[in-house]
Structure formats: C-alpha cells, structure tokens
Amino acid sequence: MPLAMRKYNDNDNDDNNDLEMTPIMITPSEDNESHLYLDDSEIELQRIAKKYKQKHNDRHSKCIYNLAVVGTGVLLFSISIFSMIHVASKENGGFGWGKNSKGYESYANIKDKVPMHSAFQRTRSKYLPAYQATMHQYVHVQTQAEFIAYVPTKNDGNPDKVFGISFRTKPTSDNGVAHILEHSVLNGSTNYPSKDPFLQLLKGSLNTYLNAMTYNDRTVYPVASRNVKDFHNLSSVYLDAVFKPRCVTPEGDWVLQQEGWRYEIKPDTTTDADGTVTTNIEGEELIVQGVVYSEMKGVYSNPLSLLSRQTDRYLYPDNTYGFDSGGDPSN
C-alpha cells in the first residue's frame, strides 16, 4: 500500500511540527504508473508479437520485391522478342502479323497452284496460316486410298523432302502381328528383291531420315532426303515394299519366320583342351528365336517399359490402346 506525507493544519498542536507518514488507499485506476509494472510472461508475449510482426513485414516486402523483379523481366523479354520478330518481318518486306505480313497468302491467292493428277481426286484443301502452308487431301480413284499433300506457300528454308506411307493397324491382342509385318515388308519386294534393302538404303542413299514404326493404331513408313532423285528412289522402294512384299509369296515364307519367331535346336557342345568340339545330342534344347521376338525381350527387360505397358493396360482395358502393338514375348 503506498504511503503519503501530509502536514497537520495550523489549528493543530503548534509544538508538533513533524511530518507524519499516513497510509492512503490508491485504487489501480488512480495509479498512473501501475501499467509500467508487467510480469515476465506479459513482457515475453509482447516481445514475441513484435518479432513476428517484424518478420511478417519483412517477408511481405521481399515477396513484393520478387514479384516486381519477375514482372519486369517478363515484360522486357516480351518486348525484346516482339521487337526481333517485328524487325525480321520488316526485313522480309512485310510489316506486322498475319495478313499484314508479306509471307501471308490466303488460299484464294494460291488455289490455282493446287497440284493435280489424273489418278487422284481432290476432296478438300485447307490453308494453315500458322504454318503458311496449304494441306490438300486427295483420294486415289482406283484404290480409294487417301493422300495428303503439305505444300508451303513459300520457301521456308527447309530443304528436306518428306514422304510417308501409313496403314491403320489396330491390334486385337499382344501377339505383335503388325510389328512382325513392319519388319517383313522391308525384306525385299517384287521390283527390289534384295534380301535386306532397308539396310542397303541406310548405307548407300542420301537419306536424312529412313525408318518404320508400329503404333497402337497405325504403322508408318517415312522417308526423307534433300536430293530430288534420291528422294524419288526412296519413295519407289518403300511403295514397292509395302504393296508388293516378298514375304507373302511362297519363295519368301522364310521372311516371316526370320522376323517373327521360329523354333531352333540349341546344340550342347563341349570343347576339349586340344580344340576338339564334341556334341551331346541328348543335351540339345529346343528354343524360340526371331528378330522381333528378341527385340521385344529386350524391351520387356526394361522396368520403365514394363511400367508403361501396365499403365496402358489399366488405362485402356477395353480398346486397342490396351494392347502391346510390338508384341509380348510371352504370347
């Protein structure tokens, strides 16, 4: 309880002029300094709150700074890209984008340039502004085969000439028939009866791309070359291979056995110290061999391939994409 000093009035005893300490009751609302006396827990709470508030303000300021830097960088990058494309467009004689550029030609201006042939009937043409090219679709009158031509409206600087043949081959099991046929048709044809024309073209032509691929819904045979004569030769070999393959003739039945699968006897031999080879007939083993069979064994030995195969099987359980077009060696 605080103590206060007071002096008695003059009406009191004159001889007693001493000061007397008299207790005075002061309520908390009257004590102006009572808020200065905090306990340790309140001081610690105030310190933590002040520290958290300062940390939050610093983080907010840093976030705003980072956003400003990133936004400025994106803006400068966009401006630079736009400027380069704009300058390039002006150098080519045009200005701006789309129809304002010199390289843009509407289909109305190029409809007279449509390539035509008496064996084909054009069904439609569509201009692709994004690629500055026109796509023409034809139907072969005799076979009703579809043909698509991609014709640039100007020289795009790509000297490659590309041709491809595509067949719809939707598997109904994992036996890999489409994959075996893909290999087999490139093992000689009527006009090119070489045993392996594909390898000869790889080594002896001027191709820039030469391959064949089997997908879950199609098989494609693409070729490409920068030399016109070589391009025509590659296209001729591939067309003859897919339409007149030797593998479907009696003299070419070995092709399917070579590329697909076949039984072979694995001999059991031992070599003596003097180099003499001894064959044990009783130890011979009947094994399965084949180009596609061995290829798919290698594929199925890869954990990532197995994961992809099982993923497709569960994602597409009731359509063609759930099967393995390459073939499962266990089948």
Side-chain angles (χ1 to χ4, degrees), residues 172-225:
T172 57
S173 66
D174 294 328
N175 57 17
V177 170
H179 192 189
I180 295 173
L181 287 175
E182 173 219 313
H183 280 249
S184 299
V185 299
L186 294 178
N187 274 272
S189 59
T190 301
N191 297 326
Y192 302 94
S194 173
K195 183 178 180 180
D196 200 344
F198 180 75
L199 291 179
Q200 294 185 18
L201 290 175
L202 281 176
K203 296 184 295 183
S205 69
L206 301 176
N207 71 86
T208 54
Y209 190 80
L210 186 70
N211 207 343
M213 294 86 74
T214 301
Y215 297 93
N216 284 79
D217 54 4
R218 66 194 183 279
T219 302
V220 295
Y221 301 85
V223 297
S225 179

Side-chain angles (χ1 to χ4, degrees), residues 5-172:
M5 294 181 297
R6 70 180 181 85
K7 185 176 181 181
Y8 288 98
N9 293 328
D10 294 338
N11 297 328
D12 296 336
N13 188 1
D14 294 337
D15 296 334
N16 190 4
N17 293 328
D18 296 334
L19 294 175
E20 180 180 0
M21 303 299 293
T22 305
I24 302 175
M25 295 296 298
I26 301 178
T27 62
S29 59
E30 296 173 345
D31 190 1
N32 295 331
E33 296 183 356
S34 61
H35 68 280
L36 298 178
Y37 299 98
L38 303 176
D39 57 14
D40 294 340
S41 61
E42 293 177 341
I43 295 176
E44 182 65 18
L45 287 175
Q46 288 187 0
R47 185 188 68 80
I48 294 175
K50 183 178 180 180
K51 182 179 179 180
Y52 177 79
K53 184 177 181 181
Q54 182 64 33
K55 185 177 181 179
H56 178 74
N57 293 337
D58 294 343
R59 183 181 300 174
H60 184 68
S61 301
K62 185 181 293 185
C63 182
I64 294 177
Y65 174 78
N66 292 336
L67 288 176
V69 171
V70 172
T72 304
V74 171
L75 179 61
L76 293 177
F77 179 76
S78 302
I79 293 175
S80 62
I81 293 297
F82 180 81
S83 301
M84 288 189 293
I85 297 178
H86 185 71
V87 171
S89 177
K90 292 183 65 176
E91 291 177 353
N92 292 330
F95 184 81
W97 302 83
K99 295 182 179 180
N100 295 325
S101 65
K102 183 179 179 180
Y104 186 96
E105 292 186 49
S106 65
Y107 177 65
N109 298 330
I110 62 173
K111 61 181 179 180
D112 297 331
K113 304 177 184 178
V114 176
M116 297 297 295
H117 192 278
S118 58
F120 293 87
Q121 180 181 0
R122 182 172 64 91
T123 56
R124 69 184 181 118
S125 297
K126 183 177 182 180
Y127 181 69
L128 309 175
Y131 301 98
Q132 295 190 3
T134 305
M135 185 271 296
H136 304 289
Q137 185 174 352
Y138 303 85
V139 172
H140 189 247
V141 177
Q142 184 176 358
T143 63
Q144 293 299 302
E146 294 183 350
F147 178 78
I148 295 178
Y150 178 87
V151 183
T153 58
K154 67 173 186 176
N155 185 9
D156 58 359
N158 185 3
D160 283 316
K161 300 159 184 62
V162 183
F163 175 75
I165 312 165
S166 178
F167 295 93
R168 184 179 299 172
T169 53
K170 300 194 296 183
T172 57

